[in-house]
């Protein structure tokens, strides 16, 4: 009897000690680390005045982010994979040919079964630096963007179910996914791999970037005049920042009615309006980046300008309300050509 | 009773005791400090980015930002911070009220994003037309040839001026004046030959853009930089803190019960009881301490960002240049931003030096200074041949209206000096004494300045009298603000006598050395206001070369550089 009581007492004591012991590990570590992380984040922003007084309204391209090589290889392969599409014939690369400046060179793109798209395909080069994706900015990130072409009936005409079934069923893919992500083939990982690959597609080393970096001779005199013209006539008001565009929305036709003059207005011409349904957003588009513009003809969301010369004249007329002289136009074009940088090495396309 | 039954009973009792202890323990732990800290930090981060964004929007409006990349970067960080708030507040646990507050915060942020996009677009277009209008006006008057002095030429000039003034002030009367000027010019279109007519259309198109965009830009600006997000954050924070302290209180209640329960057990096991007592004392205090500590850290972080200081520092040229002179300038900031102003402006024919001081402190003083700079530059751009007294009359008119608009009771001292090609300097306007150390005689002259203070009355016609001074080779000109002469030590002011003492040793030194001398003399004095010094040494008596067409200091470029001329 006494033994039994003593035993019970000992057990209770043990329980209490256990409870208090786990109580006493009450945290003391996290807040400091958290605060330091926050302070570190806040610092570059408090140092912002340096950036605000920087002289040039354009900047050179940054170093691309470091991406895990396994993820990168997977992303590159997915980007070139036609079997992600409904008829197993159309890959991202079909419309965004990396060897041709990341575009297809057509006025409007053709997707599965030769169906015609509604707008001109922009380049994937430097798309990572655009503040939103698509002409109308309907995708906020590259990851979000990828869902659109995959399921669009006039592009790849497939569905995530089919895509994931294919990837999981193809041993080389499921192995590659396993090697890159703990949870293997998923929709999020597929988006992530392609987007991360796109983040490395920065066309650095253009003559203009070298010029900004201090190499005076990287630009010939005409291109330099063109840069001055670009700033003085006001292109810079919209095409600005390190991507020479891609950091704001603007109406197409600020000082003239482009769409009335062109005729045949389609839904796609409504631009940002299709996303926000605000009347003030009708005919508004994300200002495109002008990097590599030499390689991305035809121009505009409707692919209506076949040459840079036309595109520049249209811009001057409808965005700036001006007529430019022939020498101004050719100087501008010389400058625009100096924005062409290094494309992804040709050998990188898998099988 | 058999021992087997005893065992069952005791085992049951033990299981019960253990179960109760475990339950009480779990309840007492529901307020988790870690997650709490993270949630508070996430809310703080959104607040920080929200303010940063407002600053950047203001900077973009006032031409301190020449492209939007910094703005879009902050936008993206803010979107991430918003997601973090959801995740972290959610991790602590939400109530229906908190869910509503989160949804309202999302809504406010979405509204702001939309306003911001419209602001960016409209602001760019407005800036572009403002920049182009004077050029378009010039091109048109050139084309008019000998008729440029006729009524159309005058009306075009009036239109350009009205547009710039409207952008600067933006009230009903300047708007009416702008629209009237547009109508006047438009009426003359039909009488013109075709090619001139096209140029006129262009000018009118840009003038109309200014008329349309000026109010809408400011409308979007107000919506993009309003307090909505910060109010929503306040609500969320209050609810969240309420919810947390509630759960902390409940947890404490459970803790007390657990404590009592443990005491009961402690009767059986004294040792464990002592352990417990040590532990629970002070828990409540720890919650309070942790929260206060975090609050202080956040305050320190946000307190650093002083908008007024940034405006001021971004506006004054740190390394001004004057032809044929050795120049050094410094602005020593007092603890709170004063309204010191200096500037060097090069026009086609003259070089201008301006120095002044806005009464009062803080953001309003900074704004007045900024307006003054814009007004000076606009006036000089329009008419580079102005005499300093005329310049001040024009600037005073704009500034007085502006100050009234701000609802501030402010005025400003200012002296404007114009260096001419011949080497003479015309100056006007009341500020501090101008010191000149003559190279030949070694004498120090203190020239008193006179005139009306800006911002006191609308019409300053006749209130300024231009006077002339001349610098010979080696002469030293020193300008300062009252922060220098009114610096205090042991109840005594530095005063002009302090300046004279410091300048007595100036012979043969560079401008920078003279500046450093004055700073050294000021050592130990307490600055109650910004202290600005501008030291100019005339190197040779050679006249200044009239070439540079630039009107911007090197430290500050507008949204984009001036139109190529």
């Amino acid at each position: 009897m006494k033994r039994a009581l003593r035993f019970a007492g000992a057990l209770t004591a043990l329980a209490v000690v256990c409870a208090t012991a786990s109580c006493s590990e009450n945290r003391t570590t996290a807040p400091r680390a958290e605060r330091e992380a926050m302070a570190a984040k806040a610092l570059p922003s408090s140092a912002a005045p340096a950036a605000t007084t920087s002289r040039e309204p354009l900047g050179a391209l940054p170093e691309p982010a470091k991406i895990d090589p396994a993820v990168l290889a997977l992303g590159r392969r997915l980007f070139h994979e036609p079997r992600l599409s409904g008829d197993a014939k159309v890959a991202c690369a079909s419309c965004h040919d990396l060897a041709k400046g990341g575009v297809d060179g057509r006025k409007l793109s053709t997707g599965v079964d030769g169906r015609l798209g509604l707008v001109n395909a922009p380049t994937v080069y430097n798309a990572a630096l655009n503040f939103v994706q698509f002409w109308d900015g309907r995708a906020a990130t590259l990851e979000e963007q990828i869902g659109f072409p995959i399921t669009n009936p006039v592009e790849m005409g497939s569905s995530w179910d089919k895509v994931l079934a294919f990837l999981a069923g193809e041993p080389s893919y499921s192995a590659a996914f396993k090697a890159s992500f703990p949870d293997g083939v998923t929709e999020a990982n597929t988006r992530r791999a392609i987007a991360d690959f796109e983040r490395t597609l920065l066309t650095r080393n253009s003559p203009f970037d070298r010029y900004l970096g201090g190499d005076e001779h990287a630009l010939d005199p005409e291109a330099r005049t063109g840069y001055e013209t670009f700033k003085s006539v006001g292109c810079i008001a919209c095409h600005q920042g390190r991507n020479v565009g891609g950091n704001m929305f603007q109406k197409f036709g600020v000082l003239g009615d482009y769409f009335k003059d062109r005729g045949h207005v389609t839904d796609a011409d409504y631009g940002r309006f299709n996303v926000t349904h605000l009347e003030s957003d009708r005919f508004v588009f994300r200002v495109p980046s002008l990097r590599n513009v030499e390689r991305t003809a035809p121009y505009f969301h409707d692919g209506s300008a076949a040459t840079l010369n036309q595109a520049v004249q249209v811009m001057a007329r409808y965005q700036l309300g001006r007529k430019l002289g022939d020498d101004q136009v050719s100087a501008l074009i010389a400058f625009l050509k100096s924005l062409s940088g290094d494309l992804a090495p040709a050998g990188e396309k898998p099988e | 009773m058999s021992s087997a039954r005893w065992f069952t009973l005791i085992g049951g009792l033990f299981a019960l005791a253990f179960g109760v202890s475990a339950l009480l323990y779990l309840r007492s732990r529901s307020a988790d400090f870690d997650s709490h800290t993270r949630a508070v930090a996430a809310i703080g981060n959104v607040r920080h980015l929200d303010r940063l964004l407002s600053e950047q929007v203001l900077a973009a409006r006032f031409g301190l930002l020449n492209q939007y990349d910094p703005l879009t970067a902050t936008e993206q960080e803010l979107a991430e911070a918003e997601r973090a708030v959801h995740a972290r507040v959610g991790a602590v646990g939400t109530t229906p009220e908190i869910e509503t507050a989160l949804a309202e915060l999302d809504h406010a942020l979405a509204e702001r994003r939309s306003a911001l996009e419209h602001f960016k677009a409209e602001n760019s277009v407005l800036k572009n037309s403002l920049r182009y209008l004077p050029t378009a006006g010039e091109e048109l008057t050139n084309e008019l040839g000998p008729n440029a002095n006729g009524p159309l030429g005058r009306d075009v000039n009036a239109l350009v001026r009205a547009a710039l003034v409207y952008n600067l002030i933006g009230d009903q009367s300047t708007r009416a004046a702008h629209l009237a000027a547009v109508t006047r010019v438009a009426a003359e279109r039909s009488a013109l030959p075709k090619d001139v007519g096209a140029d006129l259309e262009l000018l009118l198109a840009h003038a109309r853009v200014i008329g349309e965009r000026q109010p809408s830009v400011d409308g979007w600006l107000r919506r993009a930089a309003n307090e909505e997000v910060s109010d929503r954050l306040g609500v969320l924070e209050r609810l969240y803190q309420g919810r947390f302290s509630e759960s902390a209180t409940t947890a404490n209640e459970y803790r007390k019960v657990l404590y009592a329960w443990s005491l009961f057990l402690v009767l059986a096991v004294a040792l464990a009881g002592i352990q417990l007592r040590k532990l629970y004392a002070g828990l409540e205090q720890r919650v309070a301490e942790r929260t206060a500590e975090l609050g202080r850290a956040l305050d320190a972080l946000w307190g650093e960002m002083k908008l007024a200081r940034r405006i001021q520092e971004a506006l004054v040229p740190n390394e001004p240049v004057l032809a044929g002179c050795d120049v050094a300038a410094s602005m020593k900031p007092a603890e709170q931003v004063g309204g010191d102003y200096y500037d060097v402006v090069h026009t086609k024919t003259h070089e201008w030096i301006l120095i002044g001081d806005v009464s009062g402190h803080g953001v309003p003083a900074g704004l007045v200074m900024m307006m003054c700079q814009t007004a000076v530059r606009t006036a000089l751009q329009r008419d580079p041949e102005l005499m300093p007294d005329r310049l001040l009359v024009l600037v005073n008119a704009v500034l007085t209206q502006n100050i009234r608009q701000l609802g501030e009771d402010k005025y400003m001292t200012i002296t404007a000096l114009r260096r001419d090609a011949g080497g003479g300097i015309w100056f006007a306007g009341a500020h501090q004494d101008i010191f000149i150390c003559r190279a030949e005689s070694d004498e120090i002259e203190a020239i008193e300045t006179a005139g009306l203070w800006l911002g006191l009355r609308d019409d300053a016609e006749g209130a300024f009298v231009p006077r002339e001074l001349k610098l010979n080779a080696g002469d030293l000109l020193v300008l300062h603000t009252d922060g220098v002469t009114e610096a205090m030590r042991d109840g005594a002011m530095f005063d002009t006598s302090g300046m004279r003492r410091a300048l007595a040793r100036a012979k043969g030194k560079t401008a920078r050395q003279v500046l450093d001398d004055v700073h050294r003399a000021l050592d130990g004095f307490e600055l109650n206001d910004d202290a600005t010094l501008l030291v100019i040494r005339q190197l040779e008596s050679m006249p200044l070369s009239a070439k540079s067409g630039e009107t911007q200091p090197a430290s500050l470029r507008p949204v984009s550089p001036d139109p190529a001329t």
Side-chain angles (χ1 to χ4, degrees), chain A residues 16-279:
Chain A
V16 172
V17 169
C18 284
T20 52
S22 52
C23 246
S24 66
E25 51 113 275
N26 224 322
R27 325 289 165 79
T28 48
T29 47
R32 168 149 303 259
E34 188 79 17
R35 278 205 306 275
E36 276 166 5
M38 268 177 50
K41 260 192 107 171
L43 272 182
S45 341
S46 350
T52 60
T53 50
S54 104
R55 280 145 178 264
E56 295 300 335
L58 301 182
L61 286 174
E63 188 94 45
K66 289 269 171 290
I67 309 282
D68 176 356
V71 176
L72 196 61
L74 175 59
R76 183 179 296 125
R77 200 174 151 204
L78 289 168
F79 190 86
H80 292 92
E81 179 55 79
R83 286 173 292 174
L84 297 187
S85 67
D87 63 359
K89 288 193 184 125
V90 182
C92 305
S94 313
C95 302
H96 303 287
D97 186 341
L98 296 185
K100 290 194 193 142
V103 294
D104 54 9
R106 297 162 186 270
K107 186 168 167 173
L108 303 173
S109 306
T110 44
V112 287
D113 305 329
R115 282 184 226 160
L116 212 57
L118 301 172
V119 290
N120 177 256
T123 177
V124 281
Y125 280 110
N126 309 311
L129 299 183
N130 290 335
F131 84 127
V132 289
Q133 300 298 323
F134 290 132
W135 288 103
D136 56 12
R138 66 185 180 280
T141 61
L142 285 173
E143 276 85 351
E144 200 183 326
Q145 186 276 332
I146 286 156
F148 290 86
I150 295 222
T151 55
N152 188 336
V154 300
E155 295 190 339
M156 297 165 83
S158 185
S159 70
W160 279 109
D161 285 345
K162 283 192 222 155
V163 167
L164 294 181
F166 159 69
L167 292 174
E170 167 71 44
S172 62
Y173 271 118
S174 58
F177 270 91
K178 263 266 151 348
S180 303
F181 304 102
D183 49 350
V185 176
T186 66
E187 180 184 328
N189 293 343
T190 311
R191 288 178 187 266
R192 173 74 190 279
I194 300 178
D196 271 355
F197 167 62
E198 289 174 309
R199 288 193 177 92
T200 64
L201 297 176
L202 303 188
T203 58
R204 285 160 59 83
N205 209 23
S206 66
F208 181 70
D209 282 10
R210 278 185 274 131
Y211 172 73
L212 284 185
D215 177 0
E216 292 274 334
H217 304 295
L219 285 197
D220 59 43
E222 186 173 29
R224 236 179 287 177
T225 315
Y227 178 38
E228 290 311 319
T229 312
F230 193 78
K231 293 193 279 189
S232 66
V233 302
C235 310
I236 200 74
C238 303
H239 299 279
Q240 49 161 262
R242 55 192 182 165
N243 215 11
V244 200
N247 70 5
M248 71 178 96
F249 291 110
Q250 279 290 355
K251 183 166 173 174
F252 192 7
V254 173
L255 281 150
D257 194 337
Y258 169 80
F259 292 97
K260 194 167 135 219
D261 294 352
R262 193 202 63 190
H264 298 297
V265 176
T266 65
D267 277 353
D269 291 333
Y270 293 160
R272 186 90 186 128
F273 174 84
N274 294 330
V275 182
T276 64
H277 303 289
L278 292 176
E279 202 44 53

Side-chain angles (χ1 to χ4, degrees), chain B residues 164-183:
Chain B
L164 296 180
V165 170
Y166 173 46
N167 174 56
L168 213 58
I169 298 177
D171 65 358
Q172 282 306 324
S173 72
T174 53
R175 177 172 177 79
H178 171 69
L179 296 181
V182 172
T183 317

Side-chain angles (χ1 to χ4, degrees), chain A residues 8 54 237 240 242 247 321-322, chain B residues 10 66 68-69 124 132 202:
Chain A
S54 104
Q240 49 161 262
R242 55 192 182 165
N247 70 5
R322 286 189 179 202
Chain B
I10 302 242
N66 63 6
Y68 292 145
D69 277 2
S124 275
Y132 182 50
L202 186 53

